[in-house]
Amino acid sequence: MRKAKVGLRLRRFREEQGLTQAALATALGISTSYVNQMESNQRPITGPVLLRLAEVYDVDVQRFSASESDRLTAQLRDALADTAHADRVSDGEARELAESMPGLAQYVVDLHRRYQHMVERNAAMSAELDSASSGRDGAGSPTAHEEVRDLFYAKRNHVAALDEAAERMYEEAALDPGSLAEGLARLLHDRYGTVVVDLEAGEANRVKRRFDPDARVLRVSPLLSPGQRAFQLATHLALVACDDLIRSEVEAADLSGDEARGLARIGLANYFAGALILPYGPFLRAAEELRYDIDLLGRRFRVGFETVAHRLSTLQRPGARGVPFFFVRVDRAGNISKRQSATDFHFSRVGGTCPLWDVYEAFASPGQIRTQLAQMPDGRSYLWVARTVTRRYGGFGTPAKTFAIGLGCDLHHAHRLVYADGLDLANPAMLTPIGPGCKVCDRKGCPQRAFPAIGAPLEVTDRQSRFTPYPSAS
């Protein structure tokens, strides 16, 4: 972790704790003048000071680290690249704002997201008006989905209250991975008077679960695997057993309407389900023991690759943190349908993602795990693991869904993963240069560039033609 000048964040933390500079200095074992100099950005917050902060106050040191500034700077650049004034703000100015005034920088990012939502809503309403006049159905706005995605992103994909409630329920009900679906069905019956039965054949290939509140009957598709069946039962348990917790999380979120709040409720119930079938303590211990081997974890807990990978991205409980992962799910067309982060990795919302990213190469070798050492333009390096997953709930001839699942972590955590075995982590030549998306990527000489970088002047000449598309004039 490199040294970072993030004095305002330290000052804000001290004020939140109700501490004077002298009290904080005493707790950290340093002088009051040293605290004053750090808060004034005259001295950086060093590694030993960060470790002492974490030890005394059990605070996530990412809050004060340079990587947090990198994350916010990337979001700022993304927001600014989507405006007509992209060329008026330099990368240095964006970083200075993110490091010196993170609250204001976050406000700019949030303001841009609201602006995007309004633009998309207006476009959707215009499309609906146009289609209504022509007799066609209008396209829906993606606003609510994006709001919920941003909610989990802001929480670093960790919801402490739901995680703790799920772990308590797992222990109290004496659940076991080998018979999890049966245990959850028994719990629903004994505690909530709900009977679990199979859906009839006509619905089984269309509906995963359906609840009849009057009859207290939960019908579940028999086409689901044991792990998938357990997840559906756990999701229903979340909605009945943790309604108050979920409602509190939804009310605390800044969501625009009933649609977003409804999606947030479902997302939080799904989060609880993942935490219940993969309880925090046992799962983290197994992950460390097995060096984060996703296949072995899946066999131990009887769930699929995607479920394990997603749960790994949530292990950020204070005092018991796992490797901070970035989780992503993409389809063959490059659409990202899931994006959750416990770290500061950032891909742009403007102009797609990077074609050099190994997650897309997973489609060329279905079912096989691929690894990639990658480096972003800011010099941050990552280990990525990717594999395809295919779902088919019916028999022969029924449509299947295929995705690539990607799981990445900062390179300094890579030695903890089995996937780093045999890789030369110290060799810069092993790093594939990738970027956040062509429109906001400032790499020069990339043969895969699909768009010119916003705000960067192009070299326009009819006297020569380069192999690299959209060459920069600078």
Side-chain angles (χ1 to χ4, degrees):
M1 183 178 295
R2 72 173 187 269
K3 297 179 180 179
K5 293 184 177 180
V6 286
L8 282 179
R9 296 183 186 181
L10 181 62
R11 182 186 304 170
R12 179 181 300 172
F13 170 77
R14 176 176 60 78
E15 292 172 349
E16 289 172 355
Q17 301 294 317
L19 300 170
T20 63
Q21 288 186 341
L24 180 61
T26 299
L28 298 180
I30 57 179
S31 67
T32 303
S33 62
Y34 191 0
V35 172
N36 181 272
Q37 290 172 335
M38 288 191 295
E39 290 189 355
S40 303
N41 280 331
Q42 296 176 23
R43 297 184 69 171
I45 303 179
T46 62
V49 172
L50 286 173
L51 292 175
R52 184 63 178 161
L53 268 171
E55 179 184 344
V56 174
Y57 297 103
D58 194 22
V59 63
D60 183 2
V61 295
Q62 284 283 104
R63 177 173 179 175
F64 310 103
S65 71
S67 63
E68 183 67 16
S69 296
D70 292 341
R71 172 188 173 102
L72 191 52
T73 300
Q75 291 175 315
L76 264 178
R77 290 185 61 198
D78 202 13
L80 295 169
D82 195 31
T83 72
H85 306 287
D87 57 345
R88 301 186 187 180
V89 181
S90 69
D91 291 346
E93 289 173 312
R95 178 168 295 281
E96 180 69 23
L97 180 61
E99 291 184 346
S100 301
M101 303 167 70
L104 181 58
Q106 189 61 57
Y107 176 77
V108 172
V109 171
D110 293 341
L111 195 64
H112 176 257
R113 286 176 180 168
R114 291 179 180 273
Y115 160 76
Q116 279 187 317
H117 293 159
M118 293 305 299
V119 169
E120 290 165 355
R121 181 171 297 176
N122 287 337
M125 291 176 66
S126 298
E128 288 172 0
L129 289 174
D130 291 342
S131 61
S133 63
S134 61
R136 298 190 306 270
D137 291 333
S141 170
T143 300
H145 167 76
E146 290 191 347
E147 283 188 85
V148 174
R149 182 186 66 189
D150 292 344
L151 169 64
F152 280 93
Y153 189 79
K155 289 179 173 293
R156 292 185 175 273
N157 204 27
H158 179 73
V159 186
L162 290 177
D163 230 316
E164 292 164 4
E167 191 168 19
R168 284 195 302 271
M169 181 178 290
Y170 187 93
E171 293 173 353
E172 292 169 359
L175 297 174
D176 179 77
S179 56
L180 192 56
E182 293 83 353
L184 292 174
R186 184 172 57 254
L187 180 60
L188 281 167
H189 179 270
D190 296 345
R191 190 175 296 184
Y192 301 100
T194 298
V195 177
V196 178
V197 300
D198 285 346
L199 278 165
E200 297 179 359
E203 283 189 295
N205 61 350
R206 294 184 288 107
V207 179
K208 294 180 182 179
R209 78 172 190 279
R210 180 165 57 79
F211 179 57
D212 182 346
D214 296 326
R216 309 299 300 171
V217 174
L218 178 64
R219 293 180 169 84
V220 183
S221 173
L223 300 178
L224 299 175
S225 69
Q228 292 166 339
R229 186 180 183 89
F231 185 88
Q232 293 302 319
L233 298 183
T235 300
H236 180 76
L237 261 172
L239 295 171
V240 296
C242 296
D243 181 67
D244 290 343
L245 279 177
I246 292 175
R247 191 186 306 276
S248 176
E249 291 286 345
V250 172
E251 290 175 354
D254 184 20
L255 302 173
S256 64
D258 291 341
E259 184 181 3
R261 285 187 283 270
L263 285 177
R265 177 177 169 81
I266 295 170
L268 290 165
N270 288 338
Y271 181 96
F272 177 91
L276 182 58
I277 63 178
L278 299 171
Y280 198 101
F283 184 72
L284 176 59
R285 288 191 292 272
E288 292 286 350
E289 173 195 339
L290 300 174
R291 298 187 62 213
Y292 293 86
D293 189 309
I294 301 172
D295 288 324
L296 293 183
L297 285 167
R299 292 172 194 165
R300 179 171 295 190
F301 289 92
R302 314 295 176 87
V303 293
F305 188 92
E306 180 178 349
T307 301
V308 172
H310 187 271
R311 182 58 169 148
L312 287 173
S313 74
T314 70
L315 301 180
Q316 292 302 297
R317 178 181 292 176
R321 301 182 190 276
V323 170
F325 283 110
F326 186 99
F327 170 91
V328 68
R329 187 180 74 183
V330 304
D331 63 20
R332 293 179 184 275
N335 301 305
I336 298 180
S337 54
K338 283 187 180 180
R339 178 186 352 211
Q340 304 294 352
S341 178
T343 182
D344 60 336
F345 192 81
H346 177 76
F347 267 128
S348 173
R349 300 162 184 261
V350 182
T353 55
C354 182
L356 299 177
W357 192 24
D358 200 40
V359 173
Y360 296 115
E361 290 295 326
F363 291 107
S365 49
Q368 298 181 22
I369 291 180
R370 299 182 62 95
T371 60
Q372 181 185 43
L373 299 178
Q375 186 176 67
M376 296 294 282
D378 63 2
R380 296 290 299 277
S381 301
Y382 300 86
L383 170 62
W384 277 97
V385 178
R387 204 201 82 175
T388 59
V389 294
T390 299
R391 303 174 188 165
R392 177 181 281 109
Y393 294 110
F396 177 77
T398 57
K401 296 188 293 185
T402 299
F403 301 98
I405 304 299
L407 200 66
C409 70
D410 197 287
L411 197 60
H412 71 263
H413 293 292
H415 67 280
R416 299 168 63 182
L417 277 61
V418 66
Y419 305 106
D421 290 354
L423 299 179
D424 188 355
L425 302 180
N427 185 357
M430 297 294 293
L431 298 172
T432 299
I434 66 173
C438 292
K439 289 186 178 181
V440 292
C441 181
D442 54 8
R443 287 196 185 280
K444 296 178 174 61
C446 177
Q448 284 284 164
R449 180 175 285 281
F451 304 98
I454 295 175
L458 292 176
E459 178 188 86
V460 181
T461 176
D462 58 4
R463 296 183 179 181
Q464 66 176 353
S465 178
R466 294 180 179 268
F467 286 103
T468 302
Y470 307 111
S472 172
S474 59

